[in-house]
Amino acid sequence: MNSLDRFAQGKLDALEASHLRRVLVDSAREDGIWIARNGRRLLSFSCNDYLNLTHHPKVKAAAISAIEKYGAGSGASRLVTGNHPLFAELEARLAKLKQTEAACIFGSGYLANAGIIPVIVGEGDLLLIDELSHSCLWAGSQLSRARAEVFRHNDLVHVEELLNAHHGDHRHALIVTDGVFSMDGDLAPLADLGALAQSHDAWLMSDDAHGLGVLAEGRGSVFVNGSKAPVDLQMGTLSKALGSYGGYLCASQPVIDLIKTRARTLIYSTGLPPASVAAAIAALDIIESDPELIARPLANAQAFTRALNLPLAQSPIVPVIIGDEQAAMNAQARLENEGFLITAIRPPTVPKGTARLRVAFTAGHTPQDVEQLASAVRPLLAA
Ligand SMILES: Cc1ncc(COP(=O)(O)O)c(C=O)c1O
């Protein structure tokens, strides 16, 4: 074994010993909820395809027709020749939905966060980040070289303390947070955070990956109070409820113009394929015309939390905290035996001691599916 392989093997052995090694498993999704895995057909509660649109006939047809017209790939960065005409259409649709002047599509949600934050803040600036923010908000924060201060989860008092303590020594301050927390399913207090930001001349960015299409008539977490919270930068992804792939930012025209000329992950990465953009447009057509469909994932999640006496779900995501990593893996295996796919989530994705089953509800789950899952999970809570 050469030294590189020894290094890799040593790391793998250590991860294995602490039950933290991850492996890829072939998973053939046959529709929005059923999945073939390990030779079995399982009912999935682990897909972020909240509206089951990945397999919707209109969404697939839009993707196929975009390939026929514009090709399988974009061929270059959007700044060179990769800016096919579907981008402008999707950007206008997203900006309208999010009530902003403009929008910018990125190659993925991860690329969006890694690209946006370093354009907005840099050395000499202050960045405040919720401790439970998604990994790609941390990646963007680190790339920005701004001074990063972590605030306790959803703790407005802590945010204000940090602004009072540090904003004076820095040029600009940016607060970043998930809108819907991806592993906990709870919501950030965006209206209050926005007001706090405004009163301290700070800017607010929220990541609505898990809110678009499923909260507030589909507009997402920024709108849950009935009107738009003052969030300057509304970032999100096309890969969850929209059933496609890609990321976006909705913001004012000058901010979007700046992003389009400065964000490295936009400039130095090939434009999103036409099929993904067309699929997202078709998904928005469905979301905007079917309020009953988009209300279902949250209703299912709430039926589940009611059945198990858990805190009422605020989004389609419900964490069932197990604690120990191995115990969480065992719980996943037990549920798989009963025909359910619910992947265990372990550190470092979640804090140590909070390994969990992350249950994601979709529109296609029936009340009976939800009841059966609740019955299967109940003994795990008692354990
Ligand atoms: C909160 C959050 N932000 C961003 C992302 C990344 O988006 P994408 O999958 O489009 O890269 C994810 C999930 O993957 C997420 O959960």
Side-chain angles (χ1 to χ4, degrees):
M1 230 186 221
N2 67 25
S3 61
L4 174 59
D5 291 349
R6 263 199 314 281
F7 159 77
Q9 197 54 57
K11 284 269 186 192
L12 289 170
D13 292 346
L15 287 167
E16 196 81 62
S18 47
H19 310 295
L20 292 177
R21 179 165 177 188
R22 306 166 196 224
V23 290
L24 296 171
V25 182
D26 274 1
S27 306
R29 301 182 65 241
E30 60 183 63
D31 60 12
I33 48 177
W34 287 96
I35 193 159
R37 207 164 135 123
N38 298 329
R40 297 191 54 199
R41 188 167 178 266
L42 301 169
L43 184 62
S44 172
F45 286 91
S46 277
C47 304
N48 297 318
D49 185 12
Y50 301 116
L51 302 174
N52 319 111
L53 294 183
T54 53
H55 287 67
H56 193 288
K58 286 189 180 159
V59 174
K60 290 198 288 189
I64 291 164
S65 124
I67 289 178
E68 296 294 353
K69 189 158 179 195
Y70 298 113
S74 287
S77 159
R78 292 187 61 190
L79 272 295
V80 184
T81 57
N83 198 41
H84 50 78
L86 296 169
F87 279 116
E89 187 182 343
L90 180 57
E91 288 175 346
R93 292 287 296 272
L94 286 168
K96 186 160 178 248
L97 186 71
K98 297 284 188 175
Q99 296 178 9
T100 60
E101 289 172 355
C104 176
I105 308 291
F106 285 80
S108 73
Y110 199 108
L111 286 172
N113 278 336
I116 297 161
I117 298 174
V119 175
I120 303 300
V121 285
E123 239 171 296
D125 294 323
L126 175 67
L127 186 143
L128 305 185
I129 180 165
D130 187 289
E131 61 182 337
L132 296 187
S133 293
H134 189 266
S135 170
C136 52
L137 283 171
W138 292 94
S141 303
Q142 282 160 357
L143 286 170
S144 78
R145 303 198 190 169
R147 169 172 175 175
E149 293 284 337
V150 181
F151 59 91
R152 288 186 296 272
H153 179 49
N154 278 349
D155 188 335
L156 291 157
V157 174
H158 195 200
V159 175
E160 183 151 36
E161 273 170 26
L162 290 170
L163 284 170
N164 286 335
H166 303 296
H167 194 358
D169 308 329
H170 296 84
R171 197 175 31 184
H172 300 129
L174 174 69
I175 303 168
V176 300
T177 180
D178 288 18
V180 177
F181 286 86
S182 60
M183 296 299 137
D184 293 84
D186 59 337
L187 308 185
L190 291 176
D192 292 341
L193 264 179
L196 189 59
Q198 285 181 337
S199 67
H200 284 74
D201 191 24
W203 307 323
L204 176 60
M205 170 173 175
S206 74
D207 176 335
D208 197 35
H210 300 276
L212 175 68
V214 288
L215 296 180
E217 286 88 47
R219 288 183 200 280
S221 53
V222 167
F223 296 84
V224 287
N225 289 345
S227 61
K228 185 182 169 200
V231 176
D232 304 288
L233 302 135
Q234 297 188 56
M235 172 272 163
T237 168
L238 313 175
S239 65
K240 318 286 188 212
L242 265 56
S244 180
Y245 193 71
Y248 67 85
L249 174 68
C250 292
S252 67
Q253 192 68 56
V255 168
I256 293 298
D257 289 347
L258 180 65
I259 290 288
K260 284 183 175 169
T261 186
R262 294 292 289 170
R264 297 173 70 91
T265 56
L266 179 82
I267 300 169
Y268 300 107
S269 189
T270 299
L272 197 62
S276 303
V277 183
I281 294 170
L284 283 178
D285 288 341
I286 295 166
I287 286 168
E288 288 173 1
S289 65
D290 195 345
E292 197 272 322
L293 174 80
I294 63 182
R296 262 192 259 152
L298 177 61
N300 278 336
Q302 293 185 334
F304 178 77
T305 52
R306 275 197 206 95
L308 291 180
N309 255 335
L310 295 170
L312 188 68
Q314 294 178 288
S315 75
I317 303 164
V318 178
V320 176
I321 308 289
I322 305 288
D324 174 70
E325 290 88 35
Q326 187 57 48
M329 295 303 285
N330 293 344
Q332 173 181 333
R334 188 165 152 178
L335 290 171
E336 191 163 325
N337 266 336
E338 297 182 41
F340 299 108
L341 174 62
I342 303 176
T343 45
I345 307 287
R346 294 167 286 168
T349 308
V350 292
K352 185 134 188 61
T354 72
R356 66 196 64 187
L357 299 170
R358 174 190 181 274
V359 191
F361 291 90
T362 76
H365 291 120
T366 63
Q368 201 187 9
D369 293 335
V370 176
E371 262 170 48
Q372 281 172 357
L373 180 70
S375 303
V377 167
R378 197 169 286 115
L380 300 170
L381 290 174

